Amino acid sequence: MASTAPTVELAHGAAMPLLGLGTWPMDDAEAERVVAEAIGLGYRLVDTAENYRNERGVGLGLKASGVAREDLFVTTKFNKEWHGVDLAAEACERGLDRLGLDYLDLLLIHWPNPQHGRYVEAWEGLVRLLESGRVKAIGTSNFKPSHLDRIIEATGTVPDVNQIQLSPLTTRLEARAYHKERGIVTQSWSPIGGQGGEVRNEPKVLQLAEKYGKTPVQVILRWHLDSGLTAVAKSSDPERLAQNLDVFDFELDPDDVMSLSALDQGEAAAADSDEFGH
């Protein structure tokens, strides 16, 4: 059986697994099955969101796993309609209700939606939730350094995590440097490059998979870890779920990490959170 992922200590004290299960675009029924299977394989971090419309299924899967609540790390995210101090609290309660939980390990603002102009108030709401103990850690998703500057300046509170689109094709070096300087943990979404799996078919990835005796996806996930990143990866196939977690028994040579980073297509290859969001 694959080993449970090691953890990183977040700024506000929570211990977050380095690798977790992403659940988009699963529906409730699939999420319930996959979450229970994944936890049985050793996963302890499960990532969902209001916008995925599968929080109920995720919650049922958590219960079906039989693993104690305190041994699990559950992340969810809320949409722009909840961008406000009191609205963020309501979003949290609604998410907890759907998940069937009494606290969250990590709650994220899903997108900054700068045109909406309320993400600072949403962050103020998250700071209050952290202080109340309703959530153990708070963070952002898809925030650029300019967005992070505003919320930190307004509250003095630095996010535990910023979850951004990141893979060898979109290495996001500027954001990562900003995070590192401020003690924010970078978590990669779409870590293997999206539904099409473009990265896993890169000749360099295939070459390294052969070199290390691992699957292409295992090589890519190891690149995240060896780059000081954390990641949530989605799969609904039991064999691939197990493979995705089985990446803690090898490391990439520094030159191989650099060769994968060289696949970067630049910031333009990532979704622009000044333009897109929900």
Side-chain angles (χ1 to χ4, degrees):
M1 180 185 287
S3 61
T4 300
T7 59
V8 59
E9 185 174 340
L10 303 180
H12 295 109
M16 184 179 77
L18 298 178
L19 275 184
L21 175 72
T23 60
W24 185 85
M26 301 178 193
D27 62 15
D28 279 329
E30 186 179 25
E32 180 179 358
R33 174 184 67 80
V34 174
V35 166
E37 282 178 354
I39 293 171
L41 290 166
Y43 284 82
R44 292 297 178 263
L45 188 165
V46 179
D47 177 275
T48 183
E50 172 191 7
N51 212 63
Y52 301 171
R53 297 182 174 84
N54 64 15
E55 288 169 306
R56 292 189 190 283
V58 167
L60 291 170
L62 296 170
K63 282 193 180 61
S65 75
V67 170
R69 171 68 184 97
E70 60 268 21
D71 295 331
L72 299 170
F73 191 101
V74 183
T75 302
T76 193
K77 320 173 193 78
F78 59 86
N79 289 344
K80 68 181 178 186
E81 69 197 87
W82 308 106
H83 283 199
V85 178
D86 296 330
L87 290 170
E90 188 175 344
C92 178
E93 294 308 317
R94 287 172 180 246
L96 286 168
D97 183 59
R98 289 188 292 266
L99 286 158
L101 302 176
D102 56 11
Y103 70 91
L104 290 167
D105 296 281
L106 178 61
L107 181 58
L108 306 178
I109 304 171
H110 205 155
W111 291 86
N113 297 283
Q115 293 96 331
H116 191 57
R118 299 291 303 279
Y119 66 82
V120 173
E121 290 94 327
W123 184 246
E124 289 168 346
L126 281 186
V127 172
R128 286 193 188 179
L129 286 165
L130 180 69
E131 290 166 349
S132 75
R134 205 73 169 129
V135 298
K136 305 297 182 190
I138 55 175
T140 51
S141 183
N142 304 299
F143 274 49
K144 296 181 179 181
S146 57
H147 306 136
L148 293 167
D149 274 341
R150 282 198 63 201
I151 64 171
I152 295 168
E153 192 177 315
T155 63
T157 301
V158 176
D160 287 284
V161 172
N162 188 27
Q163 187 186 101
I164 58 175
Q165 182 182 358
L166 204 162
S167 77
L169 297 184
T170 50
T171 60
R172 315 300 293 276
L173 291 178
E174 183 192 350
R176 285 160 58 186
Y178 179 102
H179 298 163
K180 188 173 184 181
E181 194 178 311
R182 287 157 185 81
I184 301 168
V185 170
T186 304
Q187 190 174 63
S188 309
W189 65 259
S190 203
I192 52 176
Q195 299 298 302
E198 304 91 340
V199 191
R200 77 183 82 175
N201 298 318
E202 287 280 344
K204 171 53 69 176
V205 173
L206 297 173
Q207 178 197 330
L208 292 180
E210 193 167 325
K211 173 180 173 178
Y212 290 97
K214 293 289 183 177
T215 69
V217 171
Q218 286 174 321
V219 166
I220 296 163
L221 290 174
R222 191 67 231 183
W223 172 86
H224 287 270
L225 298 171
D226 291 336
S227 300
L229 305 167
T230 70
V232 289
K234 181 260 175 184
S235 179
S236 51
D237 175 83
E239 185 180 1
R240 283 199 293 272
L241 280 169
Q243 288 173 352
N244 288 356
L245 196 60
D246 188 20
V247 292
F248 297 103
D249 60 348
F250 78 110
E251 289 182 10
L252 301 178
D253 295 335
D255 286 351
D256 293 333
V257 174
M258 287 176 64
S259 69
L260 289 179
S261 300
L263 298 172
D264 183 37
Q265 297 174 352
E267 194 68 19
D272 184 351
S273 59
D274 278 326
E275 303 296 331
F276 178 81
H278 44 66

